[in-house]
Amino acid sequence: MRLSTKGRYAVMAMTDLALNAQSGDKGANGSNRPISLSEISERQQISLSYLEQLFARLRKAGLVKSARGPGGGYTLARESSALFVSEIVLAVDEPIKATRCSMTSNKLGANKRLSKDQAVREIGCMPGGQRCLTHNLWEDLGVAIHDYLSQVSLEDVVRKRTRKTVKISTPEIHAPVMMEA
């Protein structure tokens, strides 16, 4: 799976916001003090203009709230325990997938007898839209990654509780039976 800088930086910035909202001063009404993007930029070594682009998308997705004016900045829209990493990645337009397939209007329009939903299911990574031999493997991996990131909250990241217990089932392996003659 390829997670771009956009997705990684968005998660880093939101984690910084969650951490500093917990340890920061409370505002007059008892709510968390807004954190400026310049503070996050300095702590995380992320370009301020890049953060502005990311936070515009995060605000549009309803994950953060902005406060203008002196002492302004951003606060989490919900408790950190109710904000999940998958939401953040998807809010900055980063699909969580491991296949090399891409959806393009050209491919979607290739067979006009199919609905858009049907066409999306038909698109593959090979020329002509066929799926490669390992397509389902990588598609399933992308789903598993998304499922995992949907279970990890910002609070989990802040508290370093990201190593979830995973039950892995393995088939029983039987040793060959040796017959004596």
Side-chain angles (χ1 to χ4, degrees):
M1 180 195 128
R2 182 178 174 269
L3 183 60
S4 75
T5 304
K6 197 185 313 182
R8 286 187 295 116
Y9 282 4
V11 173
M12 286 171 59
M14 289 288 284
T15 303
D16 184 285
L17 186 61
L19 178 65
N20 288 289
Q22 289 176 358
S23 62
D25 299 329
K26 299 290 182 184
N29 61 0
S31 63
N32 290 327
R33 173 184 69 85
I35 307 294
S36 73
L37 293 183
S38 61
E39 292 176 63
I40 296 171
S41 172
E42 193 173 309
R43 283 190 295 263
Q44 300 305 317
Q45 298 296 298
I46 302 171
S47 157
L48 181 58
S49 61
Y50 200 62
L51 281 175
E52 288 169 347
Q53 294 171 30
L54 294 176
F55 272 75
R57 292 178 181 195
L58 293 166
R59 188 174 56 77
K60 186 176 179 181
L63 302 181
V64 295
K65 294 179 186 175
S66 63
R68 295 180 181 257
Y74 287 89
T75 58
L76 297 176
R78 302 190 301 260
E79 294 293 322
S80 61
S81 61
L83 284 167
F84 295 90
V85 173
S86 62
E87 294 178 278
I88 297 165
V89 173
L90 293 174
V92 295
D93 294 335
E94 288 295 306
I96 300 169
K97 66 178 201 160
T99 63
R100 66 179 182 177
C101 300
S102 62
M103 295 185 345
T104 64
S105 57
N106 190 22
K107 284 185 179 178
L108 288 176
N111 188 344
K112 298 192 188 238
R113 292 176 296 190
L114 297 177
S115 71
K116 183 176 179 181
D117 288 339
Q118 290 170 324
V120 168
R121 284 193 297 271
E122 296 295 321
I123 292 174
C125 49
M126 303 293 286
Q130 298 90 1
R131 292 181 172 202
C132 68
L133 294 174
T134 58
H135 180 90
N136 291 345
L137 169 70
W138 304 125
E139 189 172 59
D140 292 347
L141 175 62
V143 169
I145 292 168
H146 181 270
D147 289 347
Y148 171 73
L149 295 178
S150 295
Q151 296 174 31
V152 178
S153 70
L154 275 181
E155 184 175 333
D156 292 332
V157 177
V158 167
R159 297 183 186 273
K160 297 177 176 37
R161 298 185 309 206
T162 57
R163 294 192 176 158
K164 305 275 184 181
T165 303
V166 178
K167 182 180 178 184
I168 300 173
S169 61
T170 55
E172 265 187 54
I173 300 174
H174 300 284
V177 177
M178 301 295 285
M179 303 286 284
E180 290 187 30

